[in-house]
Amino acid sequence: MRRTGYHSRVNESPQELTPATARRVAAMQLAFFALLLAGFAVSGTYTQIADHARDGIPLEFWRPFTWETTSCLVLWFLVLPMAWWVRRFPLSRASWMRDLPVHLMSTVPFSLLHVAGMVGLRKLVYRLMGDSYDFGAWWPNWQYEYRKDFLAYWITVGGLAAFHIYGLWLDSRRAASDVGDAPPAGAPLERLVVRKLNREFIVNLADVDRIEADGNYVSLYVQGSVYPLRESLAALEKRLDGRRFARVHRGHIVNIDRIREIQPWDHGDYRILLKDGSFVNFSRRYRSRLSHLFH
């Protein structure tokens, strides 16, 4: 059971951000693309007006403004779905041959969504202005838009990848900072830095449910996730806060605050039911360490 739980996580993306960093990066992405697209919309509006004026054709401001802003607004709404898509097919060094065809094919639905959305918004604005909008012949006009959307798709992918790399840098800097904050000599540990899938994670020991020996490693069970640490259980036990953690078996340490109940078991032994629903064997030889829990 232990190994199945651990190895089921090996297929997780090695580029996964911590939740806090992921939220921060998502907000930054939306703000960046909003500013970028707003600049394109303003520039495109005045370019359209200038082009028509050069040809001697008067053009009301609201028309080119509608054309440009509806296009950019739909592109902005596609940023978060695109971010999810790029996470699924990240064009990494190990998977780009598989993922590149996926992205090439994805430019078609991306363009269809963009064109359908902007045409629908333009029709709505024109109706509110007492006019009607005609996109024209769909096939040739969509081909024209697709050429622009193809470029927009890859610009978006590149921007999202850049923000993701920035998020990884933020996580690595935070990990390095936490490592530098070493506790005073003799003080119990408050957090651990664990390496998993070529990434470093900060684990607060208060969040650990239990610790299990696994050869030269231990497995930290933390709120549904498992993190390996290259250290023996005996060595780690010496560095833990004895008021919070207790050795209950030669292969198990539990967080006392996570114990739900202690149940009689075979041959005078007990087993511990933790708040996450898991069970841990409780050997008689370690009972004295938790004797206060029986009263």
Coordinates of all heavy atoms in Angstrom, one line a residue, residues 128-205:
L128 N -27.1 47.1 -30.1 CA -27.3 48.1 -29.1 C -27.1 49.5 -29.7 O -27.7 50.5 -29.3 CB -26.3 47.9 -28.0 CG -26.5 46.7 -27.1 CD1 -25.4 46.5 -26.1 CD2 -27.9 46.7 -26.4
M129 N -26.3 49.6 -30.8 CA -26.1 50.9 -31.4 C -27.1 51.1 -32.5 O -27.0 52.1 -33.3 CB -24.6 51.0 -32.0 CG -23.5 50.9 -30.9 SD -23.6 52.2 -29.7 CE -23.2 53.6 -30.8
G130 N -28.0 50.3 -32.7 CA -29.0 50.4 -33.7 C -28.5 50.1 -35.1 O -29.1 50.6 -36.1
D131 N -27.5 49.2 -35.2 CA -27.0 48.8 -36.5 C -26.9 47.3 -36.6 O -27.3 46.6 -35.6 CB -25.6 49.5 -36.7 CG -25.1 49.6 -38.1 OD1 -25.7 49.0 -39.0 OD2 -24.2 50.4 -38.4
S132 N -26.3 46.8 -37.6 CA -26.1 45.3 -37.7 C -24.7 45.0 -38.2 O -24.2 45.8 -39.0 CB -27.2 44.7 -38.7 OG -27.0 45.3 -40.0
Y133 N -24.2 44.0 -37.7 CA -22.8 43.6 -38.1 C -22.8 42.4 -39.0 O -23.5 41.4 -38.7 CB -22.0 43.3 -36.8 CG -20.6 42.8 -37.1 CD1 -19.6 43.7 -37.5 CD2 -20.3 41.4 -37.1 CE1 -18.3 43.3 -37.8 CE2 -19.0 41.0 -37.4 CZ -18.0 41.9 -37.7 OH -16.8 41.5 -38.0
D134 N -22.0 42.5 -40.1 CA -22.0 41.4 -41.0 C -20.5 40.9 -41.1 O -19.6 41.7 -41.6 CB -22.5 41.8 -42.4 CG -22.5 40.7 -43.4 OD1 -22.4 39.5 -43.0 OD2 -22.5 41.0 -44.6
F135 N -20.2 39.7 -40.7 CA -18.9 39.2 -40.7 C -18.4 38.9 -42.2 O -17.3 38.9 -42.5 CB -18.7 38.0 -39.9 CG -17.4 37.4 -39.8 CD1 -16.3 38.0 -39.2 CD2 -17.1 36.1 -40.3 CE1 -15.0 37.5 -39.2 CE2 -15.9 35.5 -40.2 CZ -14.8 36.2 -39.7
G136 N -19.4 38.6 -43.0 CA -19.1 38.3 -44.4 C -19.1 36.8 -44.6 O -19.5 36.0 -43.8
A137 N -18.5 36.4 -45.7 CA -18.4 34.9 -46.0 C -17.5 34.3 -45.0 O -16.3 34.7 -44.8 CB -17.8 34.8 -47.4
W138 N -18.0 33.3 -44.3 CA -17.3 32.7 -43.2 C -16.0 32.1 -43.6 O -15.0 32.3 -42.9 CB -18.2 31.6 -42.5 CG -17.6 30.9 -41.4 CD1 -16.9 29.7 -41.5 CD2 -17.4 31.3 -40.1 NE1 -16.4 29.4 -40.3 CE2 -16.7 30.3 -39.4 CE3 -17.8 32.5 -39.4 CZ2 -16.3 30.5 -38.1 CZ3 -17.5 32.6 -38.1 CH2 -16.8 31.6 -37.4
W139 N -15.9 31.2 -44.6 CA -14.7 30.4 -44.9 C -13.5 31.3 -45.2 O -12.5 31.2 -44.6 CB -15.0 29.4 -46.0 CG -13.8 28.6 -46.3 CD1 -13.1 28.6 -47.5 CD2 -13.1 27.7 -45.5 NE1 -12.0 27.8 -47.5 CE2 -12.0 27.2 -46.3 CE3 -13.3 27.2 -44.2 CZ2 -11.1 26.3 -45.7 CZ3 -12.4 26.3 -43.7 CH2 -11.3 25.8 -44.5
P140 N -13.6 32.2 -46.2 CA -12.5 33.1 -46.5 C -12.1 34.0 -45.4 O -10.9 34.3 -45.1 CB -12.9 33.8 -47.8 CG -14.3 33.8 -47.8 CD -14.7 32.5 -47.2
N141 N -13.1 34.5 -44.6 CA -12.8 35.5 -43.5 C -12.2 34.7 -42.4 O -11.3 35.2 -41.7 CB -14.1 36.2 -43.1 CG -14.4 37.3 -44.1 OD1 -13.6 37.9 -44.7 ND2 -15.7 37.5 -44.2
W142 N -12.7 33.5 -42.1 CA -12.0 32.7 -41.0 C -10.6 32.3 -41.4 O -9.7 32.4 -40.5 CB -12.8 31.4 -40.7 CG -12.2 30.6 -39.7 CD1 -12.1 30.9 -38.3 CD2 -11.4 29.4 -39.9 NE1 -11.3 30.0 -37.7 CE2 -10.9 29.0 -38.6 CE3 -11.1 28.6 -41.0 CZ2 -10.1 27.9 -38.4 CZ3 -10.3 27.5 -40.8 CH2 -9.8 27.2 -39.5
Q143 N -10.3 32.0 -42.6 CA -8.9 31.7 -43.0 C -8.0 32.9 -42.7 O -6.9 32.7 -42.3 CB -8.9 31.3 -44.5 CG -9.4 30.0 -44.8 CD -9.3 29.6 -46.3 OE1 -9.8 30.4 -47.1 NE2 -8.7 28.5 -46.6
Y144 N -8.6 34.1 -43.0 CA -7.8 35.3 -42.8 C -7.5 35.5 -41.3 O -6.4 35.8 -40.8 CB -8.5 36.5 -43.3 CG -8.0 37.9 -42.9 CD1 -6.8 38.4 -43.4 CD2 -8.6 38.6 -41.9 CE1 -6.3 39.6 -43.0 CE2 -8.1 39.8 -41.4 CZ -7.0 40.3 -42.0 OH -6.5 41.5 -41.6
E145 N -8.6 35.2 -40.5 CA -8.4 35.3 -39.0 C -7.5 34.2 -38.4 O -6.8 34.5 -37.5 CB -9.8 35.3 -38.3 CG -10.7 36.5 -38.7 CD -10.2 37.8 -38.1 OE1 -9.4 37.7 -37.1 OE2 -10.6 38.8 -38.6
Y146 N -7.6 33.1 -39.0 CA -6.8 31.9 -38.5 C -5.3 32.2 -38.6 O -4.5 31.9 -37.7 CB -7.1 30.7 -39.3 CG -6.2 29.5 -38.9 CD1 -6.4 28.9 -37.7 CD2 -5.2 29.1 -39.8 CE1 -5.6 27.8 -37.3 CE2 -4.4 28.0 -39.4 CZ -4.6 27.4 -38.2 OH -3.7 26.4 -37.8
R147 N -4.9 32.9 -39.7 CA -3.5 33.2 -39.8 C -3.0 34.1 -38.7 O -1.9 33.9 -38.1 CB -3.2 33.9 -41.2 CG -3.4 33.0 -42.4 CD -2.7 33.6 -43.6 NE -3.5 34.8 -44.0 CZ -4.5 34.8 -44.9 NH1 -4.9 33.6 -45.4 NH2 -5.1 35.9 -45.2
K148 N -3.8 35.0 -38.2 CA -3.5 35.9 -37.1 C -3.6 35.1 -35.8 O -2.8 35.2 -34.9 CB -4.4 37.1 -37.1 CG -4.2 38.0 -38.2 CD -5.0 39.3 -38.0 CE -6.5 39.1 -38.1 NZ -7.3 40.3 -37.9
D149 N -4.6 34.2 -35.7 CA -4.8 33.5 -34.5 C -3.7 32.4 -34.3 O -3.4 32.1 -33.1 CB -6.2 32.8 -34.5 CG -7.3 33.7 -34.3 OD1 -7.1 34.8 -33.8 OD2 -8.5 33.4 -34.7
F150 N -3.2 31.9 -35.3 CA -2.1 31.0 -35.2 C -0.9 31.6 -34.5 O -0.3 31.0 -33.6 CB -1.6 30.5 -36.6 CG -0.6 29.4 -36.6 CD1 -0.9 28.1 -36.5 CD2 0.8 29.8 -36.7 CE1 0.0 27.1 -36.5 CE2 1.7 28.8 -36.7 CZ 1.4 27.4 -36.6
L151 N -0.6 32.8 -34.9 CA 0.5 33.6 -34.2 C 0.1 33.9 -32.8 O 0.9 33.8 -31.9 CB 0.8 34.8 -35.0 CG 1.9 35.7 -34.4 CD1 3.2 35.0 -34.3 CD2 2.1 37.0 -35.2
A152 N -1.2 34.3 -32.6 CA -1.6 34.7 -31.2 C -1.6 33.4 -30.3 O -1.2 33.6 -29.1 CB -3.1 35.2 -31.3
Y153 N -1.9 32.3 -30.8 CA -1.8 31.0 -30.0 C -0.4 30.8 -29.5 O -0.2 30.6 -28.3 CB -2.2 29.9 -30.9 CG -2.3 28.5 -30.1 CD1 -3.4 28.1 -29.5 CD2 -1.1 27.7 -30.0 CE1 -3.5 26.9 -28.8 CE2 -1.1 26.5 -29.3 CZ -2.3 26.1 -28.7 OH -2.3 24.9 -28.1
W154 N 0.6 30.9 -30.3 CA 2.0 30.6 -29.9 C 2.5 31.8 -29.0 O 3.4 31.5 -28.2 CB 2.9 30.4 -31.1 CG 2.5 29.1 -31.8 CD1 1.8 28.9 -33.0 CD2 2.7 27.8 -31.3 NE1 1.6 27.6 -33.2 CE2 2.2 26.9 -32.2 CE3 3.3 27.3 -30.1 CZ2 2.3 25.5 -32.0 CZ3 3.4 25.9 -30.0 CH2 2.9 25.0 -30.9
I155 N 2.1 33.0 -29.3 CA 2.5 34.1 -28.3 C 1.9 33.8 -26.9 O 2.6 34.0 -25.9 CB 2.0 35.4 -28.9 CG1 2.8 35.8 -30.1 CG2 2.2 36.5 -27.8 CD1 2.3 37.1 -30.8
T156 N 0.7 33.3 -26.9 CA 0.1 33.0 -25.6 C 0.8 31.8 -24.9 O 1.1 31.9 -23.7 CB -1.4 32.6 -25.8 OG1 -2.1 33.7 -26.5 CG2 -2.1 32.4 -24.5
V157 N 1.1 30.8 -25.7 CA 1.8 29.7 -25.1 C 3.2 30.1 -24.6 O 3.6 29.7 -23.5 CB 2.0 28.6 -26.2 CG1 3.0 27.5 -25.7 CG2 0.7 27.9 -26.5
G158 N 3.9 30.9 -25.3 CA 5.2 31.4 -24.9 C 5.1 32.3 -23.6 O 5.9 32.1 -22.7
G159 N 4.1 33.1 -23.6 CA 3.9 34.0 -22.4 C 3.6 33.1 -21.2 O 4.1 33.4 -20.1
L160 N 2.7 32.1 -21.3 CA 2.3 31.3 -20.2 C 3.5 30.5 -19.7 O 3.7 30.3 -18.5 CB 1.2 30.3 -20.6 CG -0.1 31.0 -20.9 CD1 -1.1 30.0 -21.5 CD2 -0.7 31.6 -19.6
A161 N 4.4 30.0 -20.7 CA 5.5 29.2 -20.3 C 6.5 30.1 -19.5 O 7.1 29.7 -18.5 CB 6.2 28.7 -21.5
A162 N 6.7 31.4 -19.9 CA 7.6 32.3 -19.2 C 7.1 32.5 -17.8 O 7.9 32.6 -16.9 CB 7.6 33.6 -20.0
F163 N 5.8 32.7 -17.6 CA 5.3 32.9 -16.3 C 5.4 31.7 -15.4 O 5.7 31.7 -14.2 CB 3.8 33.3 -16.3 CG 3.6 34.8 -16.5 CD1 3.2 35.3 -17.7 CD2 3.7 35.6 -15.4 CE1 3.0 36.7 -17.9 CE2 3.5 37.0 -15.6 CZ 3.2 37.5 -16.8
H164 N 5.3 30.5 -16.1 CA 5.5 29.3 -15.3 C 6.9 29.1 -14.8 O 7.2 28.7 -13.7 CB 5.1 28.1 -16.2 CG 4.9 26.8 -15.4 ND1 3.8 26.6 -14.6 CD2 5.7 25.7 -15.3 CE1 3.9 25.4 -14.1 NE2 5.0 24.8 -14.4
I165 N 7.9 29.5 -15.7 CA 9.3 29.4 -15.3 C 9.5 30.4 -14.1 O 10.3 30.1 -13.2 CB 10.2 29.7 -16.5 CG1 10.1 28.6 -17.5 CG2 11.6 30.0 -16.1 CD1 10.8 28.9 -18.8
Y166 N 8.9 31.6 -14.2 CA 9.0 32.5 -13.1 C 8.5 32.0 -11.8 O 9.1 32.1 -10.8 CB 8.3 33.8 -13.5 CG 8.3 34.8 -12.4 CD1 9.4 35.5 -12.0 CD2 7.1 35.2 -11.8 CE1 9.4 36.4 -11.0 CE2 7.0 36.1 -10.8 CZ 8.2 36.7 -10.4 OH 8.2 37.7 -9.4
G167 N 7.3 31.2 -11.9 CA 6.8 30.6 -10.7 C 7.7 29.6 -10.1 O 7.8 29.5 -8.9
L168 N 8.4 28.8 -11.0 CA 9.3 27.8 -10.5 C 10.5 28.5 -9.8 O 11.0 28.0 -8.8 CB 9.9 27.0 -11.7 CG 8.9 26.0 -12.3 CD1 9.5 25.4 -13.5 CD2 8.4 25.0 -11.4
W169 N 10.9 29.6 -10.3 CA 12.0 30.4 -9.7 C 11.5 30.9 -8.3 O 12.3 30.9 -7.4 CB 12.4 31.6 -10.6 CG 13.4 32.4 -10.0 CD1 14.8 32.2 -9.9 CD2 13.2 33.7 -9.3 NE1 15.4 33.2 -9.2 CE2 14.5 34.2 -8.9 CE3 12.1 34.5 -9.1 CZ2 14.6 35.4 -8.2 CZ3 12.2 35.7 -8.4 CH2 13.5 36.1 -8.0
L170 N 10.3 31.4 -8.2 CA 9.8 31.8 -6.9 C 9.8 30.7 -5.9 O 10.2 30.9 -4.8 CB 8.4 32.4 -7.1 CG 8.2 33.7 -7.8 CD1 6.7 34.1 -7.9 CD2 8.9 34.8 -7.1
D171 N 9.3 29.5 -6.3 CA 9.3 28.4 -5.4 C 10.7 28.0 -5.0 O 11.0 27.7 -3.8 CB 8.7 27.2 -6.1 CG 7.1 27.2 -6.0 OD1 6.6 28.0 -5.2 OD2 6.5 26.5 -6.8
S172 N 11.7 28.0 -5.9 CA 13.0 27.6 -5.6 C 13.7 28.6 -4.6 O 14.4 28.3 -3.7 CB 13.9 27.5 -6.8 OG 14.0 28.7 -7.5
R173 N 13.4 29.9 -4.9 CA 13.9 31.0 -4.0 C 13.3 30.8 -2.6 O 14.0 31.0 -1.6 CB 13.6 32.3 -4.6 CG 14.3 33.5 -3.8 CD 14.0 34.8 -4.4 NE 12.6 35.2 -4.2 CZ 12.1 36.4 -4.5 NH1 12.9 37.3 -5.0 NH2 10.8 36.6 -4.3
R174 N 12.0 30.5 -2.5 CA 11.4 30.3 -1.2 C 12.0 29.1 -0.5 O 12.2 29.2 0.7 CB 9.9 30.2 -1.3 CG 9.1 30.1 0.0 CD 7.6 30.0 -0.2 NE 7.2 31.2 -0.9 CZ 6.7 31.2 -2.1 NH1 6.6 30.1 -2.8 NH2 6.2 32.3 -2.7
A175 N 12.3 28.1 -1.2 CA 12.8 26.9 -0.6 C 14.2 27.2 -0.1 O 14.6 26.8 1.0 CB 12.9 25.7 -1.6
A176 N 15.0 27.9 -0.9 CA 16.4 28.3 -0.5 C 16.3 29.2 0.8 O 17.2 29.0 1.7 CB 17.1 29.0 -1.6
S177 N 15.4 30.1 0.8 CA 15.2 30.9 2.0 C 14.9 30.1 3.3 O 15.5 30.4 4.3 CB 14.2 32.0 1.7 OG 13.9 32.8 2.9
D178 N 14.0 29.2 3.1 CA 13.6 28.4 4.3 C 14.7 27.5 4.7 O 14.9 27.2 5.9 CB 12.4 27.5 3.9 CG 11.1 28.4 3.8 OD1 11.1 29.5 4.4 OD2 10.2 27.9 3.2
V179 N 15.5 27.0 3.8 CA 16.7 26.2 4.2 C 17.7 27.0 4.9 O 18.3 26.6 5.9 CB 17.3 25.6 2.9 CG1 18.7 24.9 3.3 CG2 16.4 24.6 2.3
G180 N 17.8 28.3 4.6 CA 18.8 29.2 5.3 C 18.4 29.5 6.7 O 19.2 29.9 7.5
D181 N 17.1 29.4 7.0 CA 16.6 29.7 8.3 C 16.7 28.4 9.2 O 15.7 27.8 9.6 CB 15.1 30.1 8.3 CG 15.0 31.5 7.5 OD1 16.0 32.2 7.4 OD2 13.9 31.7 7.0
A182 N 17.9 28.0 9.4 CA 18.1 26.8 10.2 C 17.8 27.1 11.7 O 18.0 28.1 12.2 CB 19.6 26.4 10.1
P183 N 17.2 26.1 12.3 CA 16.8 26.2 13.8 C 18.1 26.3 14.6 O 19.1 25.7 14.2 CB 16.0 25.0 14.0 CG 16.4 24.0 13.1 CD 16.8 24.7 11.8
P184 N 18.0 26.8 15.8 CA 19.2 26.8 16.7 C 19.6 25.4 17.1 O 18.7 24.5 17.0 CB 18.7 27.6 17.9 CG 17.5 28.3 17.5 CD 16.9 27.6 16.4
A185 N 20.8 25.2 17.4 CA 21.3 23.9 17.8 C 20.5 23.3 18.9 O 20.3 24.0 19.9 CB 22.8 24.0 18.2
G186 N 20.0 22.1 18.8 CA 19.3 21.5 19.8 C 17.8 21.7 19.8 O 17.0 21.1 20.4
A187 N 17.3 22.7 19.0 CA 15.9 23.0 18.9 C 15.2 22.0 18.0 O 15.8 21.6 17.0 CB 15.7 24.4 18.3
P188 N 14.0 21.6 18.3 CA 13.3 20.6 17.5 C 13.0 21.2 16.1 O 12.8 22.4 16.0 CB 12.0 20.3 18.3 CG 11.8 21.5 19.2 CD 13.2 22.0 19.5
L189 N 12.9 20.4 15.1 CA 12.6 20.8 13.8 C 11.2 21.4 13.7 O 10.2 20.9 14.4 CB 12.7 19.7 12.8 CG 14.1 19.1 12.5 CD1 14.0 17.9 11.6 CD2 14.9 20.2 11.8
E190 N 11.0 22.4 12.9 CA 9.6 22.9 12.6 C 9.2 22.6 11.2 O 8.0 22.6 10.9 CB 9.6 24.4 12.9 CG 9.8 24.8 14.4 CD 9.6 26.2 14.6 OE1 9.4 27.0 13.6 OE2 9.7 26.7 15.8
R191 N 10.2 22.5 10.3 CA 9.9 22.2 8.9 C 11.1 21.4 8.3 O 12.2 21.3 8.8 CB 9.7 23.5 8.1 CG 10.9 24.4 8.0 CD 10.6 25.6 7.2 NE 9.6 26.5 7.9 CZ 10.0 27.4 8.8 NH1 11.2 27.6 9.2 NH2 9.0 28.1 9.4
L192 N 10.8 20.7 7.2 CA 11.8 19.9 6.5 C 11.7 20.3 5.0 O 10.6 20.7 4.5 CB 11.5 18.4 6.6 CG 11.8 17.8 7.9 CD1 11.2 16.4 7.9 CD2 13.3 17.7 8.1
V193 N 12.9 20.3 4.4 CA 12.9 20.4 2.9 C 13.1 19.0 2.3 O 14.0 18.3 2.6 CB 14.1 21.3 2.5 CG1 14.2 21.5 1.0 CG2 14.0 22.7 3.1
V194 N 12.1 18.6 1.5 CA 12.1 17.3 0.9 C 12.2 17.5 -0.6 O 11.7 18.4 -1.2 CB 10.9 16.5 1.3 CG1 10.9 16.2 2.7 CG2 9.6 17.2 0.9
R195 N 12.9 16.5 -1.3 CA 13.1 16.6 -2.7 C 12.2 15.5 -3.4 O 12.3 14.3 -3.0 CB 14.6 16.4 -3.1 CG 14.9 16.6 -4.6 CD 16.4 16.6 -4.8 NE 16.7 16.8 -6.2 CZ 16.8 18.0 -6.7 NH1 16.6 19.1 -6.0 NH2 17.1 18.2 -8.0
K196 N 11.4 15.9 -4.3 CA 10.5 15.0 -5.0 C 10.4 15.4 -6.4 O 10.0 16.5 -6.7 CB 9.2 14.9 -4.3 CG 8.1 14.0 -4.9 CD 6.9 14.1 -4.1 CE 5.8 13.3 -4.7 NZ 4.5 13.3 -3.9
L197 N 10.6 14.5 -7.4 CA 10.4 14.7 -8.8 C 11.2 15.9 -9.2 O 10.8 16.8 -9.9 CB 8.9 15.0 -9.1 CG 8.0 13.8 -8.8 CD1 6.6 14.2 -9.0 CD2 8.3 12.6 -9.7
N198 N 12.5 16.0 -8.7 CA 13.4 17.0 -9.1 C 13.0 18.4 -8.6 O 13.4 19.4 -9.2 CB 13.7 17.1 -10.6 CG 14.4 15.8 -11.1 OD1 15.2 15.3 -10.4 ND2 13.9 15.3 -12.3
R199 N 12.1 18.4 -7.6 CA 11.6 19.7 -7.0 C 11.9 19.6 -5.5 O 12.0 18.5 -4.9 CB 10.1 19.9 -7.3 CG 9.7 20.1 -8.7 CD 9.9 21.5 -9.1 NE 9.3 22.4 -8.2 CZ 8.0 22.6 -8.1 NH1 7.2 21.9 -8.8 NH2 7.5 23.4 -7.2
E200 N 12.0 20.8 -4.9 CA 12.1 20.8 -3.5 C 10.8 21.4 -2.9 O 10.3 22.5 -3.3 CB 13.3 21.7 -3.1 CG 14.7 21.0 -3.4 CD 15.9 21.8 -2.9 OE1 15.7 23.1 -2.8 OE2 16.9 21.2 -2.7
F201 N 10.3 20.8 -1.8 CA 9.1 21.2 -1.2 C 9.4 21.5 0.3 O 10.2 20.8 0.9 CB 8.0 20.1 -1.2 CG 7.6 19.8 -2.6 CD1 8.2 18.9 -3.4 CD2 6.5 20.5 -3.2 CE1 7.8 18.6 -4.7 CE2 6.0 20.2 -4.5 CZ 6.7 19.3 -5.2
I202 N 8.7 22.5 0.8 CA 8.8 22.8 2.3 C 7.7 22.1 3.0 O 6.5 22.4 2.6 CB 8.8 24.3 2.5 CG1 9.9 25.0 1.7 CG2 8.9 24.6 4.0 CD1 11.3 24.6 2.0
V203 N 8.0 21.3 3.9 CA 6.9 20.5 4.7 C 6.9 21.0 6.1 O 8.0 20.9 6.8 CB 7.2 19.0 4.6 CG1 6.2 18.3 5.5 CG2 7.1 18.5 3.2
N204 N 5.8 21.6 6.6 CA 5.7 22.0 7.9 C 5.4 20.8 8.8 O 4.4 20.1 8.5 CB 4.6 23.1 8.1 CG 5.0 24.4 7.5 OD1 6.1 24.8 7.6 ND2 4.1 25.0 6.8
L205 N 6.2 20.5 9.8 CA 6.0 19.3 10.5 C 4.7 19.3 11.3 O 4.1 18.2 11.6 CB 7.1 19.1 11.5 CG 8.5 18.7 10.9 CD1 9.6 18.7 11.9 CD2 8.3 17.3 10.3

